[in-house]
mmCIF file of all heavy atoms in Angstrom:
data_model
loop_
_atom_site.group_PDB
_atom_site.id
_atom_site.type_symbol
_atom_site.label_atom_id
_atom_site.label_comp_id
_atom_site.label_asym_id
_atom_site.label_seq_id
_atom_site.Cartn_x
_atom_site.Cartn_y
_atom_site.Cartn_z
ATOM 1 N N LEU A 1 8.353 21.345 -7.877
ATOM 2 C CA LEU A 1 7.321 22.345 -7.621
ATOM 3 C C LEU A 1 7.855 23.750 -7.909
ATOM 4 O O LEU A 1 7.133 24.607 -8.429
ATOM 5 C CB LEU A 1 6.848 22.253 -6.167
ATOM 6 C CG LEU A 1 6.042 21.002 -5.791
ATOM 7 C CD1 LEU A 1 5.877 20.916 -4.277
ATOM 8 C CD2 LEU A 1 4.678 21.004 -6.479
ATOM 9 N N GLY A 2 9.115 23.959 -7.572
ATOM 10 C CA GLY A 2 9.744 25.249 -7.835
ATOM 11 C C GLY A 2 8.998 26.408 -7.196
ATOM 12 O O GLY A 2 8.418 26.281 -6.118
ATOM 13 N N ASP A 3 8.977 27.550 -7.892
ATOM 14 C CA ASP A 3 8.319 28.752 -7.369
ATOM 15 C C ASP A 3 6.853 28.833 -7.777
ATOM 16 O O ASP A 3 6.080 29.578 -7.165
ATOM 17 C CB ASP A 3 9.041 30.017 -7.871
ATOM 18 C CG ASP A 3 10.464 30.114 -7.348
ATOM 19 O OD1 ASP A 3 10.701 29.639 -6.218
ATOM 20 O OD2 ASP A 3 11.326 30.657 -8.073
ATOM 21 N N ASN A 4 6.484 28.095 -8.816
ATOM 22 C CA ASN A 4 5.134 28.233 -9.365
ATOM 23 C C ASN A 4 4.255 26.998 -9.192
ATOM 24 O O ASN A 4 3.126 26.975 -9.665
ATOM 25 C CB ASN A 4 5.213 28.568 -10.867
ATOM 26 C CG ASN A 4 6.011 29.826 -11.138
ATOM 27 O OD1 ASN A 4 5.790 30.844 -10.487
ATOM 28 N ND2 ASN A 4 6.945 29.745 -12.076
ATOM 29 N N GLY A 5 4.771 25.985 -8.520
ATOM 30 C CA GLY A 5 4.030 24.741 -8.396
ATOM 31 C C GLY A 5 3.053 24.715 -7.237
ATOM 32 O O GLY A 5 2.979 25.647 -6.431
ATOM 33 N N ALA A 6 2.304 23.607 -7.160
ATOM 34 C CA ALA A 6 1.310 23.473 -6.096
ATOM 35 C C ALA A 6 1.013 22.008 -5.834
ATOM 36 O O ALA A 6 1.175 21.144 -6.706
ATOM 37 C CB ALA A 6 0.019 24.196 -6.479
ATOM 38 N N VAL A 7 0.566 21.761 -4.607
ATOM 39 C CA VAL A 7 0.046 20.451 -4.218
ATOM 40 C C VAL A 7 -1.449 20.643 -4.012
ATOM 41 O O VAL A 7 -1.865 21.405 -3.125
ATOM 42 C CB VAL A 7 0.698 19.946 -2.915
ATOM 43 C CG1 VAL A 7 0.172 18.555 -2.566
ATOM 44 C CG2 VAL A 7 2.216 19.931 -3.029
ATOM 45 N N VAL A 8 -2.242 20.021 -4.850
ATOM 46 C CA VAL A 8 -3.691 20.222 -4.792
ATOM 47 C C VAL A 8 -4.243 19.524 -3.556
ATOM 48 O O VAL A 8 -4.120 18.298 -3.415
ATOM 49 C CB VAL A 8 -4.379 19.688 -6.058
ATOM 50 C CG1 VAL A 8 -5.885 19.941 -5.985
ATOM 51 C CG2 VAL A 8 -3.792 20.362 -7.298
ATOM 52 N N ASN A 9 -4.855 20.301 -2.678
ATOM 53 C CA ASN A 9 -5.324 19.799 -1.389
ATOM 54 C C ASN A 9 -6.673 19.084 -1.531
ATOM 55 O O ASN A 9 -7.700 19.518 -0.996
ATOM 56 C CB ASN A 9 -5.423 20.947 -0.388
ATOM 57 C CG ASN A 9 -5.585 20.451 1.044
ATOM 58 O OD1 ASN A 9 -5.405 19.266 1.328
ATOM 59 N ND2 ASN A 9 -5.937 21.352 1.937
ATOM 60 N N PHE A 10 -6.641 17.993 -2.290
ATOM 61 C CA PHE A 10 -7.841 17.190 -2.542
ATOM 62 C C PHE A 10 -7.373 15.769 -2.838
ATOM 63 O O PHE A 10 -6.707 15.528 -3.844
ATOM 64 C CB PHE A 10 -8.614 17.772 -3.728
ATOM 65 C CG PHE A 10 -9.878 17.031 -4.072
ATOM 66 C CD1 PHE A 10 -10.899 16.889 -3.145
ATOM 67 C CD2 PHE A 10 -10.041 16.484 -5.341
ATOM 68 C CE1 PHE A 10 -12.072 16.212 -3.470
ATOM 69 C CE2 PHE A 10 -11.203 15.813 -5.682
ATOM 70 C CZ PHE A 10 -12.228 15.680 -4.740
ATOM 71 N N ALA A 11 -7.683 14.858 -1.934
ATOM 72 C CA ALA A 11 -7.193 13.482 -2.081
ATOM 73 C C ALA A 11 -7.875 12.792 -3.262
ATOM 74 O O ALA A 11 -9.097 12.672 -3.289
ATOM 75 C CB ALA A 11 -7.455 12.696 -0.806
ATOM 76 N N ILE A 12 -7.078 12.354 -4.226
ATOM 77 C CA ILE A 12 -7.665 11.640 -5.360
ATOM 78 C C ILE A 12 -7.639 10.131 -5.136
ATOM 79 O O ILE A 12 -8.289 9.372 -5.856
ATOM 80 C CB ILE A 12 -6.937 11.981 -6.679
ATOM 81 C CG1 ILE A 12 -5.457 11.563 -6.601
ATOM 82 C CG2 ILE A 12 -7.059 13.455 -6.989
ATOM 83 C CD1 ILE A 12 -4.743 11.660 -7.937
ATOM 84 N N ILE A 13 -6.885 9.714 -4.118
ATOM 85 C CA ILE A 13 -6.741 8.284 -3.843
ATOM 86 C C ILE A 13 -6.214 8.124 -2.419
ATOM 87 O O ILE A 13 -5.563 9.028 -1.893
ATOM 88 C CB ILE A 13 -5.745 7.647 -4.865
ATOM 89 C CG1 ILE A 13 -5.757 6.128 -4.816
ATOM 90 C CG2 ILE A 13 -4.348 8.184 -4.664
ATOM 91 C CD1 ILE A 13 -4.894 5.491 -5.917
ATOM 92 N N GLN A 14 -6.551 7.007 -1.788
ATOM 93 C CA GLN A 14 -5.941 6.659 -0.501
ATOM 94 C C GLN A 14 -5.022 5.471 -0.763
ATOM 95 O O GLN A 14 -5.461 4.423 -1.242
ATOM 96 C CB GLN A 14 -6.999 6.288 0.538
ATOM 97 C CG GLN A 14 -7.865 7.456 0.985
ATOM 98 C CD GLN A 14 -7.092 8.536 1.712
ATOM 99 O OE1 GLN A 14 -6.176 8.239 2.474
ATOM 100 N NE2 GLN A 14 -7.458 9.785 1.488
ATOM 101 N N LEU A 15 -3.759 5.652 -0.485
ATOM 102 C CA LEU A 15 -2.765 4.616 -0.775
ATOM 103 C C LEU A 15 -2.612 3.642 0.388
ATOM 104 O O LEU A 15 -2.853 3.984 1.544
ATOM 105 C CB LEU A 15 -1.422 5.271 -1.087
ATOM 106 C CG LEU A 15 -1.441 6.148 -2.350
ATOM 107 C CD1 LEU A 15 -0.252 7.082 -2.372
ATOM 108 C CD2 LEU A 15 -1.465 5.277 -3.602
ATOM 109 N N THR A 16 -2.214 2.444 0.066
ATOM 110 C CA THR A 16 -1.973 1.433 1.090
ATOM 111 C C THR A 16 -0.641 0.741 0.853
ATOM 112 O O THR A 16 -0.098 0.752 -0.249
ATOM 113 C CB THR A 16 -3.071 0.343 1.099
ATOM 114 O OG1 THR A 16 -3.048 -0.376 -0.153
ATOM 115 C CG2 THR A 16 -4.446 0.933 1.334
ATOM 116 N N ALA A 17 -0.131 0.144 1.925
ATOM 117 C CA ALA A 17 1.000 -0.782 1.843
ATOM 118 C C ALA A 17 0.442 -2.138 2.253
ATOM 119 O O ALA A 17 -0.295 -2.229 3.242
ATOM 120 C CB ALA A 17 2.116 -0.354 2.778
ATOM 121 N N GLN A 18 0.744 -3.171 1.494
ATOM 122 C CA GLN A 18 0.162 -4.485 1.763
ATOM 123 C C GLN A 18 1.252 -5.552 1.857
ATOM 124 O O GLN A 18 2.238 -5.514 1.116
ATOM 125 C CB GLN A 18 -0.852 -4.849 0.679
ATOM 126 C CG GLN A 18 -1.985 -3.828 0.567
ATOM 127 C CD GLN A 18 -3.091 -4.233 -0.380
ATOM 128 O OE1 GLN A 18 -3.264 -5.409 -0.716
ATOM 129 N NE2 GLN A 18 -3.892 -3.257 -0.809
ATOM 130 N N ILE A 19 1.044 -6.472 2.781
ATOM 131 C CA ILE A 19 1.942 -7.615 2.928
ATOM 132 C C ILE A 19 1.324 -8.787 2.184
ATOM 133 O O ILE A 19 0.218 -9.223 2.512
ATOM 134 C CB ILE A 19 2.154 -7.977 4.407
ATOM 135 C CG1 ILE A 19 2.761 -6.786 5.165
ATOM 136 C CG2 ILE A 19 3.059 -9.209 4.540
ATOM 137 C CD1 ILE A 19 2.808 -6.981 6.667
ATOM 138 N N VAL A 20 2.008 -9.242 1.160
ATOM 139 C CA VAL A 20 1.519 -10.355 0.336
ATOM 140 C C VAL A 20 2.374 -11.581 0.645
ATOM 141 O O VAL A 20 3.596 -11.535 0.525
ATOM 142 C CB VAL A 20 1.615 -10.028 -1.164
ATOM 143 C CG1 VAL A 20 0.962 -11.138 -1.988
ATOM 144 C CG2 VAL A 20 0.963 -8.680 -1.466
ATOM 145 N N ALA A 21 1.711 -12.665 1.068
ATOM 146 C CA ALA A 21 2.456 -13.864 1.471
ATOM 147 C C ALA A 21 2.035 -15.084 0.650
ATOM 148 O O ALA A 21 0.881 -15.203 0.239
ATOM 149 C CB ALA A 21 2.213 -14.148 2.958
ATOM 150 N N ARG A 22 2.994 -15.964 0.419
ATOM 151 C CA ARG A 22 2.670 -17.288 -0.150
ATOM 152 C C ARG A 22 2.147 -18.124 1.015
ATOM 153 O O ARG A 22 2.931 -18.616 1.824
ATOM 154 C CB ARG A 22 3.924 -17.920 -0.751
ATOM 155 C CG ARG A 22 4.400 -17.247 -2.028
ATOM 156 C CD ARG A 22 5.704 -17.880 -2.516
ATOM 157 N NE ARG A 22 5.973 -17.511 -3.899
ATOM 158 C CZ ARG A 22 5.527 -18.170 -4.970
ATOM 159 N NH1 ARG A 22 4.778 -19.255 -4.802
ATOM 160 N NH2 ARG A 22 5.808 -17.766 -6.191
ATOM 161 N N HIS A 23 0.832 -18.264 1.111
ATOM 162 C CA HIS A 23 0.242 -18.810 2.339
ATOM 163 C C HIS A 23 0.663 -20.239 2.655
ATOM 164 O O HIS A 23 0.694 -20.638 3.824
ATOM 165 C CB HIS A 23 -1.284 -18.686 2.307
ATOM 166 C CG HIS A 23 -1.956 -19.362 1.153
ATOM 167 N ND1 HIS A 23 -2.208 -20.700 1.126
ATOM 168 C CD2 HIS A 23 -2.441 -18.849 -0.008
ATOM 169 C CE1 HIS A 23 -2.820 -21.002 -0.005
ATOM 170 N NE2 HIS A 23 -2.976 -19.898 -0.718
ATOM 171 N N ASN A 24 1.042 -21.009 1.638
ATOM 172 C CA ASN A 24 1.457 -22.394 1.930
ATOM 173 C C ASN A 24 2.866 -22.465 2.522
ATOM 174 O O ASN A 24 3.326 -23.538 2.899
ATOM 175 C CB ASN A 24 1.370 -23.267 0.669
ATOM 176 C CG ASN A 24 2.309 -22.802 -0.440
ATOM 177 O OD1 ASN A 24 2.902 -21.728 -0.350
ATOM 178 N ND2 ASN A 24 2.423 -23.602 -1.489
ATOM 179 N N ARG A 25 3.527 -21.315 2.632
ATOM 180 C CA ARG A 25 4.859 -21.281 3.231
ATOM 181 C C ARG A 25 4.818 -20.867 4.705
ATOM 182 O O ARG A 25 5.852 -20.763 5.350
ATOM 183 C CB ARG A 25 5.744 -20.278 2.454
ATOM 184 C CG ARG A 25 5.970 -20.637 0.992
ATOM 185 C CD ARG A 25 6.946 -21.768 0.837
ATOM 186 N NE ARG A 25 8.291 -21.363 1.228
ATOM 187 C CZ ARG A 25 9.234 -22.203 1.646
ATOM 188 N NH1 ARG A 25 8.964 -23.493 1.768
ATOM 189 N NH2 ARG A 25 10.435 -21.756 1.960
ATOM 190 N N PHE A 26 3.603 -20.634 5.204
ATOM 191 C CA PHE A 26 3.461 -20.142 6.576
ATOM 192 C C PHE A 26 2.502 -21.023 7.379
ATOM 193 O O PHE A 26 1.635 -21.694 6.811
ATOM 194 C CB PHE A 26 2.957 -18.692 6.559
ATOM 195 C CG PHE A 26 3.963 -17.731 6.002
ATOM 196 C CD1 PHE A 26 4.025 -17.473 4.631
ATOM 197 C CD2 PHE A 26 4.864 -17.090 6.837
ATOM 198 C CE1 PHE A 26 4.963 -16.601 4.105
ATOM 199 C CE2 PHE A 26 5.808 -16.209 6.335
ATOM 200 C CZ PHE A 26 5.858 -15.964 4.963
ATOM 201 N N PRO A 27 2.652 -21.021 8.708
ATOM 202 C CA PRO A 27 1.809 -21.856 9.561
ATOM 203 C C PRO A 27 0.337 -21.438 9.503
ATOM 204 O O PRO A 27 0.009 -20.294 9.156
ATOM 205 C CB PRO A 27 2.377 -21.618 10.978
ATOM 206 C CG PRO A 27 3.703 -20.988 10.778
ATOM 207 C CD PRO A 27 3.640 -20.252 9.486
ATOM 208 N N GLU A 28 -0.537 -22.359 9.856
ATOM 209 C CA GLU A 28 -1.963 -22.076 9.941
ATOM 210 C C GLU A 28 -2.200 -20.908 10.900
ATOM 211 O O GLU A 28 -1.636 -20.857 11.993
ATOM 212 C CB GLU A 28 -2.701 -23.312 10.463
ATOM 213 C CG GLU A 28 -4.212 -23.190 10.456
ATOM 214 C CD GLU A 28 -4.800 -23.268 9.070
ATOM 215 O OE1 GLU A 28 -4.154 -23.853 8.170
ATOM 216 O OE2 GLU A 28 -5.910 -22.737 8.888
ATOM 217 N N GLY A 29 -3.003 -19.966 10.488
ATOM 218 C CA GLY A 29 -3.329 -18.825 11.337
ATOM 219 C C GLY A 29 -2.376 -17.652 11.219
ATOM 220 O O GLY A 29 -2.640 -16.576 11.776
ATOM 221 N N PHE A 30 -1.273 -17.828 10.503
ATOM 222 C CA PHE A 30 -0.294 -16.747 10.384
ATOM 223 C C PHE A 30 -0.921 -15.501 9.754
ATOM 224 O O PHE A 30 -0.733 -14.382 10.240
ATOM 225 C CB PHE A 30 0.905 -17.193 9.544
ATOM 226 C CG PHE A 30 1.929 -16.108 9.322
ATOM 227 C CD1 PHE A 30 2.973 -15.935 10.221
ATOM 228 C CD2 PHE A 30 1.846 -15.254 8.228
ATOM 229 C CE1 PHE A 30 3.914 -14.923 10.032
ATOM 230 C CE2 PHE A 30 2.776 -14.234 8.035
ATOM 231 C CZ PHE A 30 3.817 -14.075 8.940
ATOM 232 N N GLY A 31 -1.666 -15.709 8.670
ATOM 233 C CA GLY A 31 -2.247 -14.584 7.948
ATOM 234 C C GLY A 31 -3.150 -13.730 8.817
ATOM 235 O O GLY A 31 -3.052 -12.499 8.812
#
């Protein structure tokens, strides 16, 4: 950003973190 940069105060996206599981490796109801 330095001296001339900026963070535009307008959300262009909402980010997520997701847990992806191989469902056949886990007990019923785990998901």
Side-chain angles (χ1 to χ4, degrees):
L1 291 169
D3 296 328
N4 303 312
V7 182
V8 181
N9 193 12
F10 181 59
I12 61 171
I13 191 174
Q14 291 296 323
L15 296 163
T16 64
Q18 302 187 20
I19 300 171
V20 186
R22 289 176 164 272
H23 58 80
N24 63 350
R25 298 285 292 155
F26 292 88
E28 186 73 24
F30 177 90

